[in-house]
C-alpha cells in the first residue's frame, strides 16, 4: 500500500474516538460493556470511512482484526474469530460482489455504450430528449450494475460528456451552460433514483434487506421482486420529472439538438453490428431479470423459486462458459472483491450490535424523543425519515450512513406505530435518494461534479430541490402504491 493511501489526521481521530468510548465514557444504563466496546470499534470504523483514513477495504480488515482480537462478541478466542469472519457467509454480500463482476461485461462488450447511444438516437432531437435518453440508459442497466459509481460515473457520464463537447459545451471554454450543465445535472440525479429501484442497483441495498429482516425477526424479508415492484411507480415518476425539474430551474442555452441524433447514429455505425459478446450479455441480462423477479415461481409454483444469489452465480457461470468474461476478468474486478471485504465487515459489526442489544437501546432513545412531540405515526414518521435523510449532509458514504443509522431509525419508527413494510420501503428509498444532496454524497458525485460543468452552488441548490421532489413522491405516491399492492 502506498503511503498516500493513509491519511494520518482522520486515522488518529478515529483511534481517539475508540479510546474515548472504550476507556473514558461509561456505558449508559441498559447497555452491556461488550455492546459498548463494540460500539466504540464501530463508531471508530465509520469515522475512519467518512474521513477516508485508509481505503475502505483496508479499514474493514482492521475492523475484522479488532473484533477478533478484543473478543467483544465472544469470550472464546476461536469463537471471536468465527464471529469476526461471519459476514463472509452472508449470501447477500456475494450477490452484490458477483453482480459487480457481471456488470464488467457491459463495459467489456461495449453494450453499455450501445444502449446509451441507441436511446439518444431515438430521443436526441431536443436537449430534454437527450436527458430522457440518458435516464432510460441508466434505468435499463441499473438492475445488473450494483456499483452506482460504475454505472453513473463509468458508463453514463462519458457518454454525456461526449455529447456535450460535440455541441461546443466545455467548462474550460466557459460554455457549460450551453448544454453540458443541464445534462450533467440530469444524468447525476437519475443515478440515486435508479439506485433506489432495485436491490441490485447499489451495494448497500442488500444490507437494508438484512437490517429489516433482523429487526422484524424475519417476518419481513424483502425479495428482489417485491422491492422492484414497490419502487416501480414512484421510481418511474421521479425519473420522468428529473429532466423537467432541472430544465425549469437551470434551462440549457441550446434547446434544440438535431445533431445529437446524427452523432449517436454515427457512433452506432462505428460500433458496427451487435457482436457475439453483446448478444450473450443481453441473454444473461434477460435471464437474471426473469429469475430475480421470480417469474418461474409465479408461473409454476413456489418449488421453482431460485435464490437471488444463486441466480447471480448462474449468470457469472454463463459468462465464463461463453467466454464473454475470462477468469482474469473476474480477478481484475477489484471493486467486487473490495466490496465483499468491506461489506462483510460492516454487516458483521451491525449484526452483533443488534444481537448485543445496542440497536434496540438506541432506537428507544430516538423513539422516546420523537414521542415527546405528541404527534401521530404519520407526522412522527415524516420527522424520522427527514432527520435520517438530511443527516447525509454529514456523510460521504451511503454505506457508512446506512450502517450507522438505518437499524435504529427503523426500530424507532416501528415503536412509533409506522406500518413495518411501508416504513422499510420508505427508508430504503431514502437511503439511495439522499445521494442527491451534495457533491460528495456517493462515489458518482465527485466524478460528475469533478468534470466542472456544474458549480457547487448550483449542485447544492438542485440537490435540495430534488430531495424534496423525490421524498414527496416516494412517501405519498409510493405510499398509496404500496397500499394498493397490499403491502400495508
Amino acid at each position: 500500500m502506498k503511503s498516500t493511501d493513509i491519511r494520518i489526521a482522520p486515522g488518529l481521530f478515529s483511534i481517539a474516538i475508540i479510546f474515548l468510548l472504550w476507556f473514558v465514557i461509561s456505558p449508559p444504563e441498559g447497555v452491556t460493556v461488550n455492546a459498548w466496546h463494540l460500539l466504540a470499534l464501530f463508531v471508530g470504523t465509520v469515522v475512519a470511512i467518512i474521513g477516508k483514513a485508509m481505503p475502505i477495504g483496508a479499514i474493514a480488515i482492521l475492523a475484522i482484526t479488532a473484533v477478533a482480537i478484543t473478543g467483544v462478541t465472544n469470550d472464546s478466542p476461536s469463537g471471536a474469530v468465527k464471529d469476526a469472519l461471519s459476514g463472509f457467509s452472508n449470501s447477500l454480500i456475494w450477490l452484490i460482489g458477483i453482480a459487480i463482476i457481471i456488470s464488467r461485461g457491459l463495459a467489456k462488450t461495449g453494450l453499455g455504450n450501445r444502449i446509451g447511444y441507441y436511446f439518444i438516437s431515438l430521443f436526441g432531437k431536443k436537449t430534454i430528449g437527450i436527458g430522457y435518453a440518458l435516464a432510460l440508459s441508466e434505468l435499463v442497466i441499473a438492475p445488473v450494475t450494483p456499483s452506482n459509481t460504475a454505472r453513473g460515473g463509468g458508463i453514463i457520464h462519458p457518454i454525456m460528456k461526449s455529447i456535450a463537447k460535440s455541441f461546443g459545451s466545455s467548462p474550460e471554454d466557459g460554455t457549460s451552460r450551453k448544454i453540458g450543465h443541464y445534462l450533467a445535472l440530469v444524468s447525476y440525479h437519475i443515478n440515486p433514483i435508479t439506485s433506489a429501484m432495485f436491490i441490485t442497483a447499489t451495494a448497500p441495498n442488500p444490507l437494508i434487506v438484512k437490517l429489516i429482516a433482523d429487526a422484524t425477526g424475519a417476518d419481513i424479508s424483502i425479495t428482489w421482486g417485491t422491492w422492484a415492484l414497490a419502487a416501480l411507480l414512484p421510481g418511474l415518476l421521479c425519473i420522468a420529472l428529473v429532466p423537467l425539474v432541472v430544465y425549469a430551474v437551470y434551462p440549457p442555452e441550446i434547446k434544440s439538438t438535431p445533431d445529437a441524433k446524427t452523432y449517436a447514429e454515427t457512433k452506432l455505425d462505428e460500433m458496427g453490428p451487435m457482436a457475439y459478446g453483446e448478444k450473450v450479455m443481453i441473454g444473461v441480462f434477460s435471464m437474471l431479470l426473469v429469475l430475480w423477479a421470480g417469474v418461474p415461481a409465479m408461473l409454476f409454483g413456489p418449488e421453482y423459486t431460485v435464490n437471488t444469489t444463486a441466480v447471480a452465480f448462474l449468470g457469472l457461470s454463463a459468462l465464463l462458459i461463453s467466454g464473454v468474461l475470462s477468469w482474469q476478468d473476474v480477478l481484475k474486478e477489484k471493486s467486487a472483491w473490495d466490496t465483499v471485504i468491506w461489506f462483510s465487515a460492516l454487516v458483521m459489526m451491525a449484526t452483533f450490535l443488534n444481537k448485543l442489544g445496542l440497536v434496540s437501546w438506541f432506537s428507544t432513545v430516538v423513539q422516546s424523543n420523537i414521542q415527546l412531540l405528541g404527534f401521530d405515526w404519520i407526522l412522527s414518521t415524516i420527522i424520522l425519515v427527514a432527520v435520517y435523510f438530511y443527516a447525509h449532509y454529514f456523510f460521504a458514504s451511503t454505506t457508512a450512513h446506512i450502517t450507522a443509522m438505518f437499524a435504529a431509525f427503523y426500530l424507532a419508527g416501528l415503536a412509533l406505530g409506522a406500518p413495518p413494510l411501508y416504513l422499510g420501503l420508505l427508508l430504503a428509498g431514502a437511503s439511495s435518494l439522499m445521494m442527491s444532496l451534495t457533491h460528495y454524497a456517493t462515489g458518482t458525485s465527485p466524478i460528475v461534479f469533478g468534470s466542472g460543468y456544474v458549480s457547487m452552488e448550483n449542485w447544492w441548490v438542485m440537490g435540495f430541490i430534488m430531495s424534496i421532489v423525490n421524498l414527496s413522491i416516494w412517501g405519498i405516491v409510493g405510499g398509496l402504491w404500496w397500499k394498493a399492492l397490499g403491502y400495508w
Side-chain angles (χ1 to χ4, degrees), residues 61-296:
I61 292 294
L62 297 183
I64 291 170
T65 303
V67 170
I69 289 177
T70 58
V72 290
T73 64
N74 200 311
D75 293 333
S76 163
S78 61
V81 171
K82 289 180 181 178
D83 289 346
L85 296 174
S86 62
F88 290 98
S89 66
N90 188 297
S91 63
L92 290 174
I93 291 171
W94 287 99
L95 167 65
I96 291 301
I98 298 303
I100 291 173
I101 296 171
I102 290 172
S103 69
R104 185 182 182 92
L106 285 171
K108 182 178 179 180
T109 63
L111 181 60
N113 288 341
R114 186 181 293 275
I115 291 170
Y117 288 126
Y118 173 73
F119 281 123
I120 291 171
S121 72
L122 293 179
F123 304 106
K125 291 183 179 180
K126 300 284 186 181
T127 300
I128 198 168
I130 299 176
Y132 280 110
L134 294 172
L136 287 171
S137 302
E138 259 266 0
L139 179 61
V140 168
I141 63 177
V144 290
T145 46
S147 170
N148 63 292
T149 303
R151 185 172 70 250
I155 298 175
I156 302 299
H157 184 59
I159 295 174
M160 171 255 132
K161 284 177 65 178
S162 65
I163 291 291
K165 288 181 178 178
S166 73
F167 282 91
S169 181
S170 168
E172 293 79 14
D173 299 333
T175 54
S176 294
R177 293 301 293 268
K178 275 187 173 182
I179 191 172
H181 181 275
Y182 171 78
L183 295 180
L185 285 172
V186 170
S187 64
Y188 178 72
H189 283 287
I190 293 297
N191 191 251
I193 298 168
T194 58
S195 297
M197 292 182 69
F198 308 97
I199 287 180
T200 48
T202 189
N205 284 351
L207 174 60
I208 292 171
V209 173
K210 184 182 186 304
L211 293 174
I212 291 173
D214 289 347
T216 59
D219 287 341
I220 295 178
S221 185
I222 300 176
T223 64
W224 193 94
T226 299
W227 184 305
L229 183 59
L232 178 65
L233 184 59
L236 290 178
L237 184 54
C238 287
I239 287 173
L241 286 176
V242 168
L244 296 172
V245 173
V246 176
Y247 197 92
V249 179
Y250 295 119
E253 294 173 3
I254 298 175
K255 296 176 172 60
S256 180
T257 56
D259 292 341
K261 185 176 185 297
T262 305
Y263 177 81
E265 289 172 345
T266 301
K267 285 290 185 180
L268 289 171
D269 288 339
E270 290 175 3
M271 295 182 74
M274 190 172 288
Y276 164 77
E278 293 176 276
K279 293 176 182 178
V280 173
M281 278 302 301
I282 290 176
V284 170
F285 185 17
S286 301
M287 178 190 71
L288 291 174
L289 291 183
V290 168
L291 294 178
W292 277 338
V295 173

Side-chain angles (χ1 to χ4, degrees), residues 280-325:
V280 173
M281 278 302 301
I282 290 176
V284 170
F285 185 17
S286 301
M287 178 190 71
L288 291 174
L289 291 183
V290 168
L291 294 178
W292 277 338
V295 173
M298 286 188 282
L299 293 177
F300 306 112
E303 62 270 20
Y304 288 90
T305 300
V306 186
N307 179 273
T308 51
T309 304
V311 172
F313 272 98
L314 178 62
L316 177 58
S317 298
L319 293 178
L320 288 170
I321 292 170
S322 64
V324 172
L325 289 181

Side-chain angles (χ1 to χ4, degrees), residues 18-34:
I18 293 172
F19 274 79
L20 180 67
L21 289 172
W22 193 294
F23 295 108
V24 179
I25 302 177
S26 300
E29 186 178 349
V31 178
T32 66
V33 172
N34 276 355

